[in-house]
Amino acid sequence: MEERVEGLWSDVRELNLGTTTEIEHLHNPPTPLCFLRDFVSQNKPCLISNATTHWPALSLWPSNSYLCKALKDSTISLHLTPNGRADALTTFTLPNNKNSLTCFASAFVKRMPFDRALNLIATKTEKKGTVAYMQQQNDCLLEEFGVIAGDVAAEVGWATEAFGCSPEAANLWIGNGESETWWHKDHYENLYAVVSGEKHFLLLPPTDVHRLYVKEYPAAQYTCDDDHDLESGELRLELEEPLRYIPWCSVDPYPSPERRGREMSLYPRYFNGPKPFECTVKAGDMLYLPSMWFHHVRQTPDSEGKTIAVNYWYDMQFDIKYAYFYFLQSISLPSNDPEKAQHPDTEDYKKQQVLQIPIGEQED
Amino acid sequence: MEERVEGLWSDVRELNLGTTTEIEHLHNPPTPLCFLRDFVSQNKPCLISNATTHWPALSLWPSNSYLCKALKDSTISLHLTPNGRADALTTFTLPNNKNSLTCFASAFVKRMPFDRALNLIATKTEKKGTVAYMQQQNDCLLEEFGVIAGDVAAEVGWATEAFGCSPEAANLWIGNGESETWWHKDHYENLYAVVSGEKHFLLLPPTDVHRLYVKEYPAAQYTCDDDHDLESGELRLELEEPLRYIPWCSVDPYPSPERRGREMSLYPRYFNGPKPFECTVKAGDMLYLPSMWFHHVRQTPDSEGKTIAVNYWYDMQFDIKYAYFYFLQSISLPSNDPEKAQHPDTEDYKKQQVLQIPIGEQED
């Protein structure tokens, strides 16, 4: 079976996506018909230039002082982590301090005035222990940044016409070079426009799902007891209670040199298979990120220390492509990971995985 | 694995195609954008009414005398079989008269004046041993019926705009109630318009490929030594030499009562799975038959004894949908057929299958 799945990875590239790491680049926005025919229907990404030239945001938002003035009365949600990795895997040390496990960590989310949040993102301090990211994703362009929403389009005209509906959500993202977004996929068609700075995407098609070793991880949350300590990084990681499991991609595409060997032996289908597609989205460019495509995102800040993007989520079609994906995902391939099988689905297994390690230690 | 594949059959219906045997019916032609979005992109069929109301053929072609007059100087290719089944499985009796095997039989194709061919199709005689069908499929609307091609559209405007290209081929089909087209799929997007009589389609999505038990069958051809015997049915079936193998669907959806039990036990995934979609295309209606969909076709003649259809084949996209299909098809499921495994792919096996049976018998 493994050979057949590997055949699928190469077939989709040879037939349709191309065998390099580049995606197609349109120098102007497509017509709705061409967008549907050449990209959406084929579930194929593209980078589009000159799609946002009419947005006032392109000239206004690079200025931190413009943003702080415009949003001086706004309270926004800031996501804080010690390492720039929210909704990512991290190591959780159990209370006995001897054992650790890998968990899915969510950011500590703190509501605060916009200017304080931007300051946390854009100001480099010598010994900063937290990484801040505005990435609320609940249609936050209107919900939290309503006063500047008019600087960008409320929707992408040609995309709205192609999809036959307005976006389900539009989100604004302000981060810095320390934040990255772990491999994941969304059940939306995504149009992702960079306004300031650059975003660096790694992309893998849905056919490559086994290469990311999706497994269930216990959910954990960063917390902070003292709001005034946000700058000094006093974030604690706590497992959710009751235990909750999140299926998440296992692969870190940029492991530290000392972890690289271990990661490569654990996740050979990722590191030995075809390279991910790579796409840098610059200010003024827009990425069409098709539904169900896995993506990993890093960013380069502008001259004032931040990267800004706006994305539009349009409802996807749960059609034959989705049915095929769901079928493919259901096929188990062997794992080199001694810790757990893929897709563990018994409650017993889950409890054992997290809870029996400390109990065992305590009995010593 | 079998359960997962069965899950795919139900998922694609529950998510997208519907769980009845009906397909969507549009009462007017769609816009190119809606056609792409709601049908082509989703690989989903639909029946379209009022798409050909402007065709002169709708009023002219039901008349046999109009056709004979217009095509009086035309020579066309007539496909002849003893049973109405061309490009279908049939039983071939080996020369020793003791053994038989199932082969893929192609029609005897005879070039003749149009009026003689139409007479063979439309005239019922008491003891007729051949079934005649004009179904040349080599862009025959222009190649063989050029003088009446102007009675229909050269292409389907909204489809041409949606697909971004003109049709690769347009074919004309004139048959009668005796002809049927065995389960198969085409690597084209198909728009199929009925001009006179009715066509009855059974349809299965590409996800259901295992339900048709595609296997390789030796190719055979009907031949006739004496052209004057066409009416009396003196067609002989001959295996091609050298042997050539055709992968073809094994299932006869309408087996005779005495064969039904055997067929149901050989092909349980077909007979016990979800019913095929059913669609009768009446004169004036058009079927969008998506690429890679399996279809089986029967027909009801008009009052002058014939069914006429015109179809347009547009190039398909070999995109992620095709890559998924190809992957799915590569997965072997168990077979109840003792004669052979699915997808036999060694030359030795093939030779053994056809040739060793008579040799064995001769040695007795």
Side-chain angles (χ1 to χ4, degrees):
Chain A
M1 179 53 71
E2 195 145 17
E3 268 177 36
R4 290 200 181 92
V5 173
E6 286 172 15
L8 175 59
W9 309 336
S10 53
D11 285 346
V12 75
R13 287 167 171 80
E14 281 163 24
L15 287 167
N16 188 243
L17 300 171
T19 53
T20 72
T21 60
E22 278 177 40
I23 65 168
E24 214 163 311
H25 186 180
L26 309 182
H27 295 281
N28 286 294
T31 64
L33 200 74
C34 289
F35 180 53
L36 262 179
R37 179 172 62 214
D38 298 338
F39 300 100
V40 181
S41 171
Q42 301 184 33
N43 199 242
K44 187 176 179 178
C46 61
L47 178 66
I48 305 153
S49 291
N50 296 307
T52 58
T53 43
H54 57 295
W55 288 9
L58 279 180
S59 56
L60 297 172
W61 293 7
S63 156
N64 290 1
S65 65
Y66 168 83
L67 291 173
C68 288
K69 196 170 165 192
L71 292 156
K72 68 179 158 43
D73 297 324
S74 297
T75 300
I76 59 83
S77 303
L78 189 67
H79 291 234
L80 294 145
T81 58
N83 53 12
R85 294 176 165 191
D87 297 347
L89 299 188
T90 196
T91 301
F92 178 79
T93 304
L94 290 162
N96 61 11
N97 266 324
K98 287 189 187 164
N99 292 94
S100 62
L101 56 82
T102 304
C103 67
F104 169 87
S106 300
F108 174 59
V109 183
K110 173 76 187 154
R111 302 266 301 162
M112 66 176 69
F114 175 82
D115 58 352
R116 184 180 173 209
L118 184 62
N119 190 51
L120 283 171
I121 291 167
T123 308
K124 284 204 170 168
T125 59
E126 285 260 324
K127 202 180 164 188
K128 196 168 156 183
T130 51
V131 177
Y133 196 3
M134 297 187 213
Q135 57 146 343
Q136 182 66 3
Q137 299 173 60
N138 60 348
D139 201 20
C140 68
L141 177 63
L142 288 175
E143 296 288 330
E144 301 203 334
F145 300 92
V147 293
I148 58 167
D151 294 343
V152 298
E155 53 198 282
V156 182
W158 44 270
T160 294
E161 199 177 331
F163 293 126
C165 57
S166 290
E168 181 63 22
N171 301 309
L172 191 148
W173 313 67
I174 305 181
N176 62 33
E178 305 294 307
S179 277
E180 67 181 65
T181 302
W182 195 267
W183 279 114
H184 72 291
K185 67 178 188 317
D186 298 307
H187 289 66
Y188 286 106
E189 302 288 354
N190 198 345
L191 283 155
Y192 199 105
V194 173
V195 177
S196 198
E198 292 181 354
K199 292 267 186 174
H200 312 285
F201 285 80
L202 296 179
L203 303 167
L204 281 174
T207 49
D208 290 31
V209 56
H210 293 95
R211 299 184 58 201
L212 291 165
Y213 298 80
V214 176
K215 298 175 197 168
E216 298 213 327
Y217 291 95
Q221 182 103 36
Y222 289 107
T223 61
C224 182
D225 301 324
D226 183 352
D227 287 1
H228 300 290
D229 272 350
L230 289 180
E231 284 85 349
S232 61
E234 295 296 319
L235 291 171
R236 279 184 299 110
L237 187 61
E238 287 182 354
L239 278 179
E240 278 190 27
E241 284 184 35
L243 282 176
R244 186 170 68 102
Y245 281 79
I246 310 283
W248 210 245
C249 298
S250 299
V251 177
D252 179 355
Y254 302 110
S256 59
E258 60 271 19
R259 292 181 67 248
R260 189 169 171 82
R262 180 175 176 274
E263 293 282 306
M264 287 184 69
S265 75
L266 281 179
Y267 309 123
R269 288 194 290 270
Y270 180 83
F271 289 99
N272 303 338
K275 285 195 174 160
F277 295 90
E278 290 183 46
C279 178
T280 288
V281 188
K282 297 180 180 177
D285 285 347
M286 184 180 273
L287 172 67
Y288 167 54
L289 177 55
S291 56
M292 310 301 289
W293 272 64
F294 295 94
H295 49 290
H296 179 280
V297 197
R298 295 195 296 177
Q299 43 199 330
T300 303
D302 61 20
S303 62
E304 299 197 16
K306 69 192 178 304
T307 309
I308 313 185
V310 173
N311 89 290
Y312 302 86
W313 272 330
Y314 286 86
D315 283 338
M316 65 173 281
Q317 291 292 343
F318 291 88
D319 61 14
I320 196 171
K321 298 187 277 281
Y322 183 81
Y324 275 131
F325 170 79
Y326 194 78
F327 166 73
L328 175 67
Q329 189 185 37
S330 78
I331 295 172
S332 293
L333 293 189
S335 169
N336 290 353
D337 188 342
E339 275 183 33
K340 56 188 106 43
Q342 286 198 319
H343 299 296
D345 51 10
T346 68
E347 203 49 45
D348 275 0
Y349 170 84
K350 294 169 183 174
K351 282 191 187 133
Q352 182 189 343
Q353 184 199 349
V354 173
L355 297 178
Q356 288 195 354
I357 299 170
I359 291 168
E361 287 297 316
Q362 284 162 359
E363 281 172 359
D364 278 349
Chain B
M1 181 51 73
E2 195 145 18
E3 268 177 36
R4 290 199 180 93
V5 174
E6 287 173 14
L8 175 59
W9 308 337
S10 53
D11 285 346
V12 75
R13 286 165 172 81
E14 281 164 24
L15 288 167
N16 188 245
L17 300 171
T19 53
T20 71
T21 60
E22 280 175 40
I23 66 167
E24 214 163 312
H25 185 181
L26 309 182
H27 295 281
N28 287 294
T31 64
L33 200 73
C34 288
F35 180 53
L36 262 179
R37 180 171 62 214
D38 299 336
F39 300 100
V40 180
S41 171
Q42 301 185 33
N43 199 241
K44 187 177 179 178
C46 62
L47 178 66
I48 304 154
S49 293
N50 296 307
T52 58
T53 44
H54 56 295
W55 288 9
L58 279 180
S59 57
L60 297 173
W61 292 6
S63 158
N64 290 2
S65 64
Y66 168 83
L67 293 173
C68 288
K69 196 171 165 192
L71 292 157
K72 68 179 160 42
D73 298 324
S74 298
T75 299
I76 59 84
S77 302
L78 189 67
H79 291 234
L80 294 143
T81 57
N83 53 12
R85 294 176 164 191
D87 297 347
L89 300 188
T90 196
T91 301
F92 178 79
T93 305
L94 290 162
N96 61 10
N97 267 322
K98 286 187 185 165
N99 292 93
S100 63
L101 56 82
T102 304
C103 67
F104 169 86
S106 300
F108 174 59
V109 182
K110 174 74 189 155
R111 301 266 302 163
M112 66 176 72
F114 175 81
D115 59 352
R116 184 180 172 210
L118 184 62
N119 190 52
L120 282 170
I121 290 168
T123 309
K124 284 204 172 167
T125 59
E126 285 261 323
K127 203 179 164 191
K128 194 168 157 183
T130 52
V131 177
Y133 195 2
M134 296 185 212
Q135 58 147 343
Q136 182 63 5
Q137 300 175 58
N138 60 348
D139 201 20
C140 68
L141 177 63
L142 288 175
E143 296 289 328
E144 302 204 333
F145 300 93
V147 293
I148 58 166
D151 294 342
V152 299
E155 51 196 284
V156 182
W158 44 269
T160 294
E161 198 177 332
F163 293 126
C165 58
S166 291
E168 181 64 23
N171 301 309
L172 191 148
W173 313 66
I174 306 182
N176 62 32
E178 305 294 306
S179 278
E180 67 180 66
T181 303
W182 195 266
W183 278 115
H184 72 290
K185 67 178 188 319
D186 298 306
H187 290 66
Y188 286 107
E189 303 286 354
N190 198 345
L191 284 155
Y192 200 105
V194 173
V195 177
S196 199
E198 292 181 353
K199 292 266 188 175
H200 312 285
F201 284 80
L202 295 178
L203 302 167
L204 280 174
T207 49
D208 290 32
V209 57
H210 293 95
R211 300 184 58 203
L212 291 165
Y213 298 81
V214 176
K215 298 175 197 167
E216 299 213 328
Y217 293 95
Q221 181 105 36
Y222 290 107
T223 60
C224 181
D225 300 324
D226 181 356
D227 286 3
H228 300 289
D229 271 350
L230 289 180
E231 284 85 347
S232 61
E234 295 296 318
L235 292 171
R236 279 183 298 111
L237 188 60
E238 287 182 355
L239 277 179
E240 279 189 26
E241 285 184 33
L243 281 175
R244 186 171 68 101
Y245 282 77
I246 311 283
W248 210 245
C249 298
S250 300
V251 177
D252 178 357
Y254 302 110
S256 58
E258 61 270 21
R259 292 182 67 248
R260 187 167 173 83
R262 180 175 175 274
E263 293 280 306
M264 287 184 69
S265 76
L266 281 178
Y267 310 123
R269 289 195 289 271
Y270 180 84
F271 289 100
N272 304 336
K275 286 196 174 158
F277 294 91
E278 291 182 46
C279 178
T280 287
V281 188
K282 297 180 180 175
D285 285 348
M286 183 180 272
L287 172 67
Y288 166 55
L289 177 56
S291 56
M292 309 302 287
W293 272 64
F294 294 93
H295 49 291
H296 179 280
V297 197
R298 294 195 295 178
Q299 42 199 330
T300 303
D302 62 19
S303 62
E304 298 197 14
K306 67 191 178 305
T307 308
I308 311 185
V310 173
N311 90 289
Y312 302 86
W313 272 330
Y314 286 86
D315 282 339
M316 66 172 281
Q317 291 292 343
F318 290 87
D319 61 13
I320 196 172
K321 297 187 277 284
Y322 183 80
Y324 275 132
F325 170 80
Y326 195 78
F327 166 73
L328 175 67
Q329 189 185 37
S330 78
I331 296 172
S332 293
L333 294 189
S335 168
N336 290 352
D337 188 342
E339 276 182 34
K340 54 188 108 40
Q342 288 198 319
H343 299 293
D345 51 9
T346 67
E347 204 51 43
D348 275 358
Y349 170 83
K350 293 170 183 173
K351 282 190 188 135
Q352 183 189 344
Q353 185 199 349
V354 173
L355 297 178
Q356 287 194 354
I357 300 171
I359 291 167
E361 288 296 317
Q362 284 162 359
E363 282 171 357
D364 280 349

